[in-house]
Amino acid sequence: MSISILKGGLLTTVQDLGRKGYLHQGVVEGGAMDRLALRSANLAVGNEEGAACLEMTLLGPAILFKQASLICVAGKGMTPYMEGKPYPLGAAISVPAGQELTFKTARQGARAYLAIAGGIDVPAVLGSRSTYLRAKLGGFEGRKLEKGDLLPIGKVAEHLAPLLKKADKQGCPLVSNWHVNGSLSDSATLSETVVRALPGSHFSMFTKESQTNVFDMSFTIQNNSDRMGYRLQGEAPLLRETKEELLSEAVTFGTVQVPPDGEPIVLMADRQSTGGYPRMLQVAAVDLPKLAQMRPGDTFSFKKITLEEAQYFYLQQELAMQQRKVGIALKQAEWLAQ
């Protein structure tokens, strides 16, 4: 099985949950920016949570399904269309052979994830199928997708075969009456422009005024942001008490570094393995998907929380994901029985 790329979109790459275990050798982790969306899309089509999907940024691709397929598009930033008709984000869709999937850009959100039953079956490199563009590593030939690419799809689970045959026979997509695009945590009660963070290892190096300002003022994501880092512009620069040089230390997804110009950088999925700028904040893991869906020009503020709160919120989110997993399995069984 394979899918044919008719248009590549702005930035469409193969991504999974990242290349883990090689940071000490300088190999970046990479992987999906919004990992909750990728995991949810995979579960909706019966894949393992970390199976390889397509990450589509701002302007989606055009894709031809050469065989009947079960798909789910989760995340934000675009609406899927087939044969001129819009389909809901987060729903499982059984697609007959010959259908063309396109996208229209939405007003909010930056990234959507296309999961296909069987997963994108490109070769795994160092245990991952994710694309790391700077090193041309993994994914489909280490690059973003382009017109004319043919991507292999893995074997579809046997119990899903009747659903694919049914869509093929009817000649039109079949859509589930459930979806996986809802919020998984209490973040739904927070403003979309608030990102929770805790003081980083070098927080005390900054002036008292900057320590207060970082949680009081708003930051705008600059145009030169990418999968490696979001460059922020605040209402005032964040200043240090002293200017001594620092040794490079390990950094992670969500580490907020502050270069000498006082404008912070949030390290994202394709971050480097170490960094020498002072680490003022660490974004709570529970809010990284929210941050990953923000676009250049979007404005947000940091909300201070403790390490214990960050751990509690993360565990609550993972518990909700496990509940979603059980719920999807039950809904899939109902759908197949119809």
Side-chain angles (χ1 to χ4, degrees):
M1 286 184 61
S2 63
I3 57 172
S4 179
I5 305 300
L6 305 179
K7 292 181 182 177
L10 181 63
L11 178 61
T12 304
T13 57
V14 178
Q15 298 293 344
D16 57 18
L17 293 179
R19 192 165 281 109
K20 302 181 188 302
Y22 297 96
L23 287 173
H24 66 294
Q25 297 179 33
V27 180
V28 304
E29 183 177 316
M33 291 277 276
D34 181 349
R35 299 183 182 195
L36 286 183
L38 178 139
R39 293 167 67 187
S40 296
N42 272 323
L43 291 173
V45 298
N47 290 346
E48 295 292 327
E49 291 181 40
C53 295
L54 295 187
E55 179 180 273
M56 306 169 292
T57 304
L58 292 176
L59 183 62
I63 297 169
L64 175 66
F65 293 95
K66 304 180 77 172
Q67 297 86 21
S69 305
L70 179 63
I71 69 168
C72 177
V73 181
K76 296 182 179 179
M78 56 192 76
T79 303
Y81 276 73
M82 278 182 280
E83 305 299 323
K85 180 181 176 181
Y87 285 82
L89 285 169
I93 308 171
S94 185
V95 183
Q99 291 277 314
E100 182 179 331
L101 176 66
T102 58
F103 297 88
K104 287 189 178 179
T105 302
R107 291 185 176 181
Q108 294 182 324
R111 295 174 175 84
Y113 294 82
L114 170 63
I116 304 174
I120 308 295
D121 196 23
V122 295
V125 179
L126 298 177
S128 170
R129 293 178 170 83
S130 62
T131 311
Y132 179 44
L133 294 170
R134 282 181 169 80
K136 300 180 180 178
L137 181 69
F140 185 80
E141 300 179 356
R143 60 170 171 81
K144 67 178 185 178
L145 300 186
E146 300 172 353
K147 179 182 178 181
D149 291 340
L150 288 175
L151 270 71
I153 304 300
K155 187 177 179 181
V156 179
E158 288 187 8
H159 73 281
L160 297 174
L163 194 59
L164 302 186
K165 289 179 180 176
K166 188 175 180 180
D168 235 5
K169 185 177 180 181
Q170 294 191 9
C172 63
L174 303 176
V175 186
S176 68
N177 61 0
W178 45 271
H179 69 86
V180 298
N181 227 34
S183 174
L184 272 173
S185 68
D186 69 323
S187 61
T189 63
L190 286 176
S191 167
E192 283 296 312
T193 59
V194 174
V195 171
R196 290 168 287 193
L198 48 150
S201 55
H202 296 137
F203 188 76
S204 61
M205 289 184 173
F206 291 83
T207 66
K208 295 298 181 187
E209 183 180 17
S210 290
Q211 291 181 20
T212 300
N213 284 345
V214 73
F215 294 113
D216 282 349
M217 63 185 180
S218 296
F219 293 91
T220 301
I221 299 173
Q222 300 186 58
N223 289 334
N224 56 350
S225 299
D226 58 16
R227 282 180 45 89
M228 183 176 183
Y230 279 8
R231 293 180 177 275
L232 309 181
Q233 184 171 37
E235 297 160 12
L238 300 172
L239 303 177
R240 291 168 57 185
E241 290 281 10
T242 60
K243 303 295 183 184
E244 74 268 28
E245 294 291 325
L246 299 173
L247 293 173
S248 290
E249 295 180 8
V251 292
T252 187
F253 200 166
T255 298
V256 181
Q257 292 185 309
V258 182
D261 64 6
E263 294 187 346
I265 303 170
V266 188
L267 301 182
M268 303 299 284
D270 280 355
R271 69 204 174 273
Q272 70 277 17
S273 55
T274 62
Y277 294 137
R279 292 162 288 284
M280 189 176 192
L281 300 177
Q282 177 65 44
V283 175
V286 71
D287 281 350
L288 287 174
K290 177 193 290 187
L291 191 59
Q293 289 294 351
M294 292 186 185
R295 305 176 175 188
D298 283 351
T299 297
F300 70 94
S301 59
F302 291 111
K303 179 182 179 181
K304 186 177 181 180
I305 61 172
T306 65
L307 174 60
E308 290 73 21
E309 288 174 319
Q311 292 171 332
Y312 172 78
F313 294 139
Y314 177 75
L315 291 174
Q316 290 298 109
Q317 188 179 69
E318 285 303 300
L319 176 61
M321 175 58 87
Q322 293 309 308
Q323 293 170 339
R324 170 173 287 180
K325 190 174 182 177
V326 174
I328 290 172
L330 294 172
K331 290 293 186 182
Q332 280 178 336
E334 288 179 9
W335 197 29
L336 285 164
Q338 290 177 357

